[in-house]
Amino acid sequence: MPGPDRRAHAPTLLSFAQQRLWFLDRLRPGRPDHNVPTAVRLRGRLDQGALTRALTEVVRRHEVLRGRIVDTEDGPRHVAEPVETFVPTITDLTHTPAEQAWQRARELVAADLATPFDLGTAPMLRARLIRIAPDDHLLLLVIHHIACDGWSLSVLWQEFSAGYGAAVDGRPIALADLPVQYADFADWQRSYQAGTAMLDQLAYWHEHLADLSPSVLPTDRTRPAVWSGRGDQVEIEIPAELAERIRTLGRAHEVTPFMTLLAAFQVLLARCTGQADVTVGTPISGRTRIEVEPLVGFFVNTLVLRTDLSGDPGFTDVLARVRRCAVEAYARQDVPFERLVQELRPERDLGQHPLFTVMFQLEEPPSLPSGLPGIEVSDHQMPNDVAKFDIEVSMTDGGDRFTGVIRYAADLFDRDTVRQLSEGFRVLLDQLVDSPERPISAWETPPGLRVSRPAPATRSETAGEPATETEPEPATETEPEPATETGPATETELLVLETWAEVLGVTPDGVDSDFFELGGHSLLASKVMSRLGRALDLELPVALLFYHPTVAELADGIDAALLADLGAAAEAEPLPAGKARHP
């Protein structure tokens, strides 16, 4: 992956993952959903100047941290800005009583976490150093996910530690040159996507995810039309004795602890949903090239793991199925999740994540700075009240035990329900590992868990069996009405129609033509709304097109926005309730 000869601060391509987050930010602006926080407590004699120098050097080295996203005719582009755009914030609370100082520090942390980024303004990293006492500090970093992932935090803290040690000693901060920048990876990814290897991987996913119906847990409340992002979390712990049995079983059947934990959780999902076709998402580092290992950036990809639990298998058989599914997915991990959604075009809405609603992951313990002269470093836990999925199980391998949290959508679930899910997982895992040869139907669903009635048979459940069909009711024959297409009747409809034709490369038949049925998708929707906004000198939200997908409907929505902008209406017409197309 050779780094191209790029001009400084010249716009560069976004990766598929970055492009997706940029679009979601435009769809739902002003939200902190994709803020990635990390905080450490620093006890000892801290050199504030050395800390600032070390952080600044990290930002200088990694263009993605000091960049911004600009919208162009050719789509969004990344522009790297000078390192001077990064200025840490220093808050001194040493003259405040300790208890009040910590309360104020927690308030500042919460406020920084809740503050969204403006992707059009650099940098993508905010840093705040809070002085609690002369020898007690809290360092908070908030990074937009468009510039960072979990692996990146480890890289960042390693470089910060090396830089701080050099600065304290009065030495130049001399870190090895980076072989490439994130923009080089984004450029390589675009080229790789056009190759035959990618087409083979796509063919696998098309077959593997055909007729997919995402596993959806029964909820306490009706799913809202639009995802709010409100979330909470409950803790989960697998004690040392059970963790050791999990590892022993895994070694005997050549599966990893992640696969064993996932297999048990998918059995639990099957029980709760009444479905034997169980689907979850899981993140993977996405760093398949050695050149990108030392980079800060958004490389993580999402894999869709679909396991067939039909036929009442024993848990050992479930482990084999999960292992096969995971290995096949890992071998085809180069397909970005964003492209997968674009290719499969699932029926979706703004209230539900596409392809899966449950995320499951086993993470490494959080990275921390190390080797800081005279400084004791410890992790500072922060609340997480943002939900990206219905349920997200995030576990950590602590060596002797597994710990973690289950994050959940507060719009859908009560806290007690998720507590029962957490306890039910531990109980069922204990049973499955204790007698893995027994069929999974032999185990009762842990008490207190909400369950659904069995769903209709899925593709995998009916494989090799004759289909049973219900005789349809006789239909009353009526003469079909001749299809008619209406041409544009207003200037706004004509503008919308012409813009669609330019962007889609297909001329709509009339004002009832649907943007998405013509081949439109999220990024083309963003391009359409940008062009219409420039033509009308008006800020038009991308969500308008998802709620008004035909030429006529979109023109009406734009006219309402124009009236509101001119002051002819007291307020803009609200978006209608109900489902809308998901990006």
Side-chain angles (χ1 to χ4, degrees):
M1 188 188 304
D5 184 16
R6 291 183 284 107
R7 292 186 295 110
H9 315 309
T12 57
L13 291 168
L14 303 188
S15 69
F16 284 95
Q18 284 186 313
Q19 199 165 252
R20 175 76 170 175
L21 287 191
W22 172 84
F23 174 78
L24 290 176
D25 183 76
R26 294 200 65 193
L27 185 67
R28 308 182 186 105
R31 295 166 62 116
D33 297 4
H34 299 288
N35 287 2
V36 178
T38 180
V40 292
R41 187 173 182 180
L42 307 172
R43 293 187 181 95
R45 187 175 178 180
L46 181 70
D47 187 327
Q48 185 174 304
L51 181 142
T52 300
R53 282 185 59 197
L55 281 177
T56 303
E57 176 62 12
V58 174
V59 176
R60 184 197 66 79
R61 284 168 55 79
H62 300 275
E63 292 178 355
V64 71
L65 291 176
R66 50 185 169 87
R68 60 188 178 91
I69 311 299
V70 297
D71 189 11
T72 73
E73 273 293 313
D74 297 321
R77 293 292 186 270
H78 179 270
V79 177
E81 297 292 352
V83 71
E84 287 75 19
T85 60
F86 171 71
V87 180
T89 299
I90 311 295
T91 303
D92 192 344
L93 302 178
T94 55
H95 300 295
T96 305
E99 185 174 339
Q100 297 179 24
W102 272 110
Q103 177 59 32
R104 178 56 180 155
R106 285 189 286 269
E107 292 172 354
L108 289 169
V109 168
D112 284 353
L113 292 183
T115 301
F117 280 85
D118 175 4
L119 296 185
T121 303
M124 293 296 107
L125 163 66
R126 298 194 298 259
R128 181 189 294 271
L129 179 67
I130 305 175
R131 298 190 65 204
I132 307 296
D135 60 351
D136 196 359
H137 296 74
L138 187 63
L139 175 60
L140 169 68
L141 306 182
V142 182
I143 313 170
H144 196 282
H145 202 359
I146 209 166
C148 176
D149 56 20
W151 181 305
S152 298
L153 295 179
S154 176
V155 172
L156 187 153
W157 284 132
Q158 288 175 10
E159 292 192 356
F160 166 78
S161 300
Y164 180 84
V168 166
D169 292 342
R171 296 180 284 108
I173 300 177
L175 297 171
D177 291 340
L178 295 173
V180 292
Q181 288 288 335
Y182 186 85
D184 302 324
F185 163 77
D187 184 69
W188 169 84
Q189 186 188 55
R190 298 284 174 169
S191 301
Y192 185 76
Q193 293 297 309
T196 56
M198 180 56 57
L199 295 179
D200 291 341
Q201 292 191 28
L202 272 172
Y204 165 82
W205 289 112
H206 272 284
E207 179 181 357
H208 183 63
L209 301 181
D211 305 320
L212 175 68
S213 178
S215 301
V216 180
L217 285 164
T219 61
D220 295 307
R221 284 173 291 282
T222 303
R223 185 178 299 276
V226 178
W227 189 261
S228 76
R230 292 193 314 110
D232 201 350
Q233 63 185 37
V234 299
E235 294 183 353
I236 184 171
E237 179 175 346
I238 308 301
E241 183 274 333
L242 177 53
E244 180 56 33
R245 285 193 284 133
I246 289 171
R247 298 182 199 281
T248 300
L249 180 66
R251 287 192 292 268
H253 294 275
E254 298 182 332
V255 297
T256 64
F258 165 74
M259 294 176 185
T260 307
L261 293 168
L262 172 63
F265 193 76
Q266 287 190 310
V267 171
L268 184 63
L269 282 179
R271 289 294 185 82
C272 293
T273 62
Q275 296 176 313
D277 186 4
V278 183
T279 304
V280 302
T282 192
I284 193 166
S285 72
R287 300 185 186 234
T288 57
R289 299 290 299 260
I290 193 171
E291 301 96 318
V292 304
E293 290 185 3
L295 295 185
V296 171
F298 185 20
F299 295 91
V300 67
N301 194 16
T302 302
L303 300 180
V304 184
L305 302 182
R306 183 183 189 182
T307 305
D308 173 17
L309 298 182
S310 63
D312 196 19
F315 189 57
T316 53
D317 190 14
V318 174
L319 290 175
R321 297 183 191 189
V322 168
R323 181 181 185 275
R324 181 170 59 252
C325 174
V327 169
E328 289 178 357
Y330 296 158
R332 297 161 177 88
Q333 63 174 286
D334 292 322
V335 179
F337 180 76
E338 296 74 25
R339 182 171 180 185
L340 191 59
V341 172
Q342 183 176 322
E343 289 276 342
L344 296 178
R345 301 179 66 82
E347 288 294 329
R348 298 162 292 160
D349 62 75
L350 289 176
Q352 182 172 313
H353 196 275
L355 301 185
F356 64 89
T357 64
V358 178
M359 175 73 86
F360 191 96
Q361 59 184 318
L362 180 62
E363 304 174 297
E364 296 293 327
S367 300
L368 298 174
S370 61
L372 305 186
I375 300 295
E376 177 187 341
V377 180
S378 59
D379 185 31
H380 180 77
Q381 295 294 324
M382 291 172 292
N384 188 332
D385 59 359
V386 173
K388 299 178 183 177
F389 310 94
D390 290 11
I391 293 289
E392 181 180 2
V393 183
S394 297
M395 304 193 70
T396 299
D397 189 344
D400 63 335
R401 66 188 64 225
F402 299 103
T403 59
V405 296
I406 300 182
R407 299 187 183 92
Y408 63 94
D411 289 342
L412 302 178
F413 300 101
D414 293 330
R415 187 175 182 84
D416 284 344
T417 299
V418 182
R419 280 202 188 102
Q420 291 168 355
L421 184 70
S422 173
E423 177 61 17
F425 177 45
R426 187 196 63 76
V427 170
L428 184 62
L429 182 60
D430 187 22
Q431 295 173 348
L432 293 170
V433 172
D434 187 57
S435 299
E437 72 286 347
R438 296 183 66 183
I440 58 177
S441 65
W443 305 113
E444 295 182 1
T445 303
L449 286 179
R450 187 186 298 269
V451 298
S452 296
R453 293 180 180 179
T458 62
R459 173 195 63 169
S460 57
E461 292 174 291
T462 58
E465 300 178 7
T468 302
E469 297 183 355
T470 302
E471 188 69 24
E473 293 290 331
T476 302
E477 293 187 5
T478 57
E479 287 293 327
E481 296 183 3
T484 59
E485 292 292 345
T486 306
T490 68
E491 290 186 3
T492 307
E493 288 181 348
L494 180 61
L495 176 62
V496 169
L497 191 148
E498 290 176 343
T499 304
W500 285 17
E502 292 174 4
V503 173
L504 296 173
V506 176
T507 302
D509 294 326
V511 297
D512 294 324
S513 296
D514 186 291
F515 177 79
F516 300 97
E517 291 177 0
L518 292 174
H521 52 74
S522 58
L523 293 176
L524 293 180
S526 180
K527 183 176 289 189
V528 161
M529 298 310 289
S530 291
R531 291 192 181 188
L532 289 171
R534 283 193 290 268
L536 298 169
D537 192 23
L538 182 68
E539 186 70 26
L540 294 174
V542 176
L544 196 65
L545 180 52
F546 285 85
Y547 281 99
H548 303 280
T550 69
V551 173
E553 291 170 348
L554 182 57
D556 287 344
I558 291 173
D559 286 340
L562 282 167
L563 287 174
D565 189 58
L566 293 172
E571 59 183 11
E573 179 183 353
L575 293 175
K579 288 190 174 182
R581 293 181 183 268
H582 194 290

